[in-house]
Amino acid sequence: MKDFLKYVFATVVGIIVFTIVAGILGMMSLVGMIASGEATQDVDENSVLVLNLSGTMEEQAEDNIFAQYSGSIANTMGLQETLAAIQKAKDNEHVKGIYIEAGMFSADFAQIQELRDALLDFKKSGKWIIAYGDIYTQGTYYLSSAADKVYLNPQGEIDWHGIGAQPMFVKDLLNKFGVKFQVVKVGKYKSATEMFTEEKMSDFNRHQTEVYINGLWNNICQAVSESRKVSVAQLNAYADSLITFANQQDLIKMKMVDGLLYHDQIKAEVKKLMKLEEDKDINQVSIADMQNVKEELDGKEIAVYYAYGDIVDSEDTGLMSGGGHQIVSGKTCKDLEKLMDDDDVKAVVIRVNSPGGSAFASEQLWRQITLLKAKKPVVVSMGGYAASGGYYMSCNANWIVAEPTTLTGSIGIYGMIPDFSQLVTQKLGVKFDEVKTNKHSTFGTIARPMNAEEIAFLQKHINRGYTLFRKRVADGRKLTVEQVEEIAQGHVFLGQDAIKLKLVDQLGGLDVAIAKAAKLAKLDEYHTQNYPAQRDFVEQLLEKAEKQSDTYLDERMRATLGEYYEPFILIKTINQQSAIQARMPFWMNVR
């Protein structure tokens, strides 16, 4: 018995020691993998940069170490990383060209336009770009049309049909469950609430939507027309005839592609451009590889701060509380305060890509940017969206740069209070009684909807918020309140129209904003540093396991639901929303 216990004890100790050693070795392996990923590297001679257009584009790539290790998170591309890679490739003598492989790629039009402009700038170096795809979406074709040659699989397709917006209305669906929304808003164009209260688009909303989707499409057609030498009228005729299903040979005659090739044949074309023999391998570098190519940091620092996603009071509130990136007001304000106090930072460019969110949080962000501006130049670079709360936080910057396809403005706010009383009392049969000390002691109860007097109080509160919003815009943009009112009312504009209304100062991308910041700071030599910094290994290690799980589930849900993802998450998290919102419509997915 004694020997038995001895052997059992030895076995248990052995298992424990093995587990510890295995854990240490596994950790060392993971750390080694991370360290090797961060090591600087050189580019081999005669290389090609591969731009794989698949997955989702974010403003910054989320460097999730555990996701990379397990392969559990859907592919994401970072706009900042991709633009930097293209610029490095342009300047690197060993990179001879760019190969674009088109796939199922999700990005907003301003992001795609910025990438396209970077590719056109790359071509100024005299280097080549070729594109290949089995299927081109409209977005990937718009981007790929900047290439010298565009190739298609002999059985492939080009999706080319124009842009449409299809807002979804769930009022009748919610009514079936006994749920209604009581809405108080300011702005005849403020249409974010229509999804819950109407059965179709209002006339004002229909008008503004027609204007900006036509503007988006015209931008795309003009760019493709210039690159492919096809008239805009002809491109519209192609869209009307739904060339998605056209014979592939006809696409060559239409000048939409330069040739039909299989995967093995496109490799041969690349080898010809690189003057490689048939049996030689192609030296490929990826976006991730280019991140590790050493870059000299000369001159003073310009900070580039990325603020994108729903604007929220805390991480547990807002449309994307179920997952996705957010602009959390408290954290963002602290980050900007650090940049304000950092004497090494001479100017700050804030990259804003947000449809808005909490009006309270937007005001806090406005305040912090105002304080930052008092100490050093602040330039805002607008991405796909900088509307409502996104415009609120931006309006007092020294200078605002937007892409022609940026959706901005939407100066207006609303309050949206869910009414679950029919669900609770009629559908579920719950009964309520009441005892109170004052007239409005039960304000906000789920037992009943708001009464007329309570709605009037809320309307006054919304009106004050709108008045403040207008004043912030008027002061920041050096306009009168009356001038702002003429372009407010929740009206959404494209960047190319907003510049005429003095809502933005200049059209262009992030590079234009950085150059302006350098000029304002009087810097002849400078380098940029991106903020907030990526989470390091220890920070990710200490993150709660359930949060990692939520992120995985969110990515799967986003991929499955597509354009219906945001409305679903909104309904799911409605009780967590800030009641007073400065936000543009939730259905801004255009196809």
Side-chain angles (χ1 to χ4, degrees):
M1 184 66 179
K2 184 178 180 180
D3 289 338
F4 174 77
L5 291 175
K6 182 173 67 175
Y7 289 131
V8 170
F9 178 77
T11 302
V12 171
V13 171
I15 291 172
I16 293 172
V17 171
F18 174 80
T19 302
I20 293 172
V21 172
I24 291 173
L25 290 174
M27 189 66 68
M28 289 174 64
S29 175
L30 187 58
V31 171
M33 180 187 71
I34 296 160
S36 66
E38 293 178 348
T40 59
Q41 66 179 63
D42 295 322
V43 178
D44 292 333
E45 289 187 14
N46 205 21
S47 292
V48 58
L49 173 62
V50 178
L51 188 56
N52 191 345
L53 298 180
S54 62
T56 302
M57 172 148 282
E58 297 283 2
E59 290 293 314
Q60 282 182 299
E62 179 63 28
D63 192 14
N64 189 319
I65 293 165
F66 297 103
Q68 292 173 10
Y69 186 71
S70 65
S72 62
I73 302 297
N75 180 43
T76 60
M77 292 176 63
L79 176 65
Q80 175 260 314
E81 291 83 1
T82 307
L83 292 173
I86 294 171
Q87 182 60 49
K88 286 181 182 179
K90 177 187 175 185
D91 298 335
N92 193 302
E93 62 181 356
H94 296 318
V95 178
K96 303 305 180 183
I98 293 177
Y99 169 65
I100 300 172
E101 184 156 287
M104 301 307 293
F105 182 54
S106 176
D108 63 54
F109 284 116
Q111 290 173 330
I112 295 176
Q113 182 169 19
E114 191 146 6
L115 282 176
R116 196 177 190 280
D117 289 342
L119 292 175
L120 292 174
D121 180 66
F122 175 87
K123 288 171 65 175
K124 293 177 182 177
S125 65
K127 300 178 181 182
W128 50 264
I129 302 176
I130 65 170
Y132 177 80
D134 295 329
I135 296 177
Y136 288 92
T137 65
Q138 285 191 143
T140 54
Y141 184 79
Y142 167 48
L143 180 54
S144 300
S145 66
D148 299 292
K149 297 289 184 180
V150 178
Y151 294 102
L152 178 70
N153 187 293
Q155 297 303 313
E157 296 176 356
I158 296 177
D159 188 15
W160 188 259
H161 59 270
I163 298 176
Q166 283 189 314
M168 180 167 46
F169 300 93
V170 298
K171 184 183 79 168
D172 291 345
L173 171 64
L174 295 175
N175 283 345
K176 293 180 186 297
F177 297 96
V179 178
K180 295 181 179 180
F181 280 88
Q182 293 180 283
V183 172
V184 178
K185 67 175 183 176
V186 179
K188 58 190 178 185
Y189 290 96
K190 200 68 180 173
S191 55
T193 61
E194 290 183 0
M195 171 182 177
F196 305 98
T197 61
E198 308 301 325
E199 296 178 356
K200 63 179 183 178
M201 301 170 75
S202 65
D203 291 340
F204 291 109
N205 188 24
R206 183 177 296 278
H207 169 71
Q208 72 173 352
T209 305
E210 287 175 348
V211 169
Y212 61 66
I213 67 170
N214 280 314
L216 287 170
W217 181 242
N218 288 337
N219 268 278
I220 292 171
C221 287
Q222 289 286 351
V224 173
S225 173
E226 186 175 339
S227 294
R228 300 299 305 170
K229 309 304 181 203
V230 180
S231 70
V232 171
Q234 194 62 61
L235 288 170
N236 276 301
Y238 291 163
D240 289 339
S241 61
L242 209 60
I243 64 167
T244 304
F245 305 111
N247 183 292
Q248 289 79 9
Q249 291 291 340
D250 290 340
L251 294 175
I252 299 176
K253 299 173 185 176
M254 295 175 188
K255 298 182 181 179
M256 297 296 280
V257 298
D258 296 291
L260 304 175
L261 300 172
Y262 287 102
H263 277 275
D264 60 301
Q265 294 173 313
I266 193 66
K267 288 181 182 179
E269 289 298 316
V270 174
K271 286 182 179 181
K272 286 179 187 176
L273 289 168
M274 302 181 74
K275 299 178 181 178
L276 284 176
E277 295 178 10
E278 234 179 89
D279 59 341
K280 297 293 185 181
D281 292 331
I282 300 171
N283 292 328
Q284 301 180 42
V285 289
S286 66
I287 300 299
D289 292 332
M290 292 303 292
Q291 288 183 62
N292 297 325
V293 175
K294 188 176 180 181
E295 190 175 25
E296 296 297 329
L297 301 179
D298 298 325
K300 304 293 185 180
E301 179 181 325
I302 294 177
V304 181
Y305 188 90
Y306 288 83
Y308 57 102
D310 210 32
I311 297 175
V312 299
D313 302 312
S314 68
E315 291 184 359
D316 298 324
T317 61
L319 174 63
M320 291 302 165
S321 59
H325 204 277
Q326 298 175 322
I327 304 173
V328 183
S329 63
K331 180 183 181 304
T332 303
C333 287
K334 286 180 181 178
D335 289 345
L336 294 178
E337 185 178 10
K338 288 178 183 177
L339 295 178
M340 180 179 71
D341 295 333
D342 189 339
D343 293 334
D344 292 333
V345 175
K346 303 305 179 184
V348 179
V349 173
I350 304 176
R351 173 69 175 192
V352 178
N353 195 343
S354 172
S358 164
F360 177 82
S362 301
E363 166 71 11
Q364 310 317 304
L365 293 164
W366 170 89
R367 171 65 178 171
Q368 189 58 57
I369 291 172
T370 300
L371 294 174
L372 176 61
K373 176 186 172 184
K375 292 193 69 173
K376 56 194 67 174
V378 179
V379 176
V380 164
S381 168
M382 293 181 168
Y385 306 86
S388 205
Y391 190 79
Y392 195 141
M393 66 178 285
S394 305
C395 66
N396 203 31
N398 295 93
W399 197 258
I400 298 176
V401 179
E403 290 284 6
T405 51
T406 296
L407 289 170
T408 190
S410 193
I411 301 166
I413 66 174
Y414 64 87
M416 189 166 64
I417 310 297
D419 172 19
F420 297 109
S421 59
Q422 288 188 28
L423 170 64
V424 174
T425 60
Q426 297 180 26
K427 303 288 185 181
L428 301 180
V430 177
K431 305 298 181 185
F432 292 89
D433 208 338
E434 187 172 277
V435 177
K436 59 185 180 180
T437 60
N438 295 89
K439 187 176 182 180
H440 300 291
S441 292
T442 58
F443 173 74
T445 177
I446 64 170
R448 62 171 178 82
M450 290 188 297
N451 58 42
E453 189 174 13
E454 290 166 340
I455 290 175
F457 283 130
L458 181 59
Q459 183 69 66
K460 288 181 181 179
H461 181 58
I462 296 292
N463 290 345
R464 284 196 300 273
Y466 178 64
T467 299
L468 180 62
F469 192 171
R470 280 187 321 185
K471 183 69 164 55
R472 298 302 190 214
V473 174
D475 292 344
R477 302 305 302 162
K478 296 179 174 55
L479 300 168
T480 65
V481 171
E482 291 73 24
Q483 287 174 313
V484 174
E485 177 62 15
E486 289 179 7
I487 55 177
Q489 293 286 326
H491 201 150
V492 179
F493 302 98
L494 285 175
Q496 64 189 25
D497 298 320
I499 193 170
K500 303 169 189 174
L501 304 173
K502 298 183 179 180
L503 289 175
V504 302
D505 298 295
Q506 190 175 0
L507 296 179
L510 189 57
D511 56 336
V512 173
I514 291 170
K516 182 63 181 182
K519 186 175 181 181
L520 292 174
K522 299 179 181 177
L523 301 177
D524 294 324
E525 293 186 352
Y526 59 89
H527 68 273
T528 61
Q529 186 66 42
N530 297 317
Y531 297 90
Q534 293 281 8
R535 297 168 302 152
D536 61 26
F537 170 71
V538 175
E539 289 174 322
Q540 294 190 45
L541 182 64
L542 295 176
E543 243 183 357
K544 294 181 180 179
E546 60 266 24
K547 187 171 182 180
Q548 293 289 332
S549 176
D550 286 347
T551 302
Y552 169 74
L553 292 173
D554 176 69
E555 291 290 344
R556 300 275 69 77
M557 189 180 298
R558 186 190 294 271
T560 302
L561 294 178
E563 65 188 278
Y564 302 110
Y565 168 82
E566 288 191 7
F568 172 81
I569 290 295
L570 174 68
I571 295 170
K572 176 178 177 287
T573 61
I574 195 65
N575 278 333
Q576 301 169 12
Q577 304 290 317
S578 174
I580 311 304
Q581 294 277 314
R583 206 185 194 287
M584 67 179 296
F586 300 98
W587 43 266
M588 274 310 306
N589 291 314
V590 286
R591 306 195 280 279

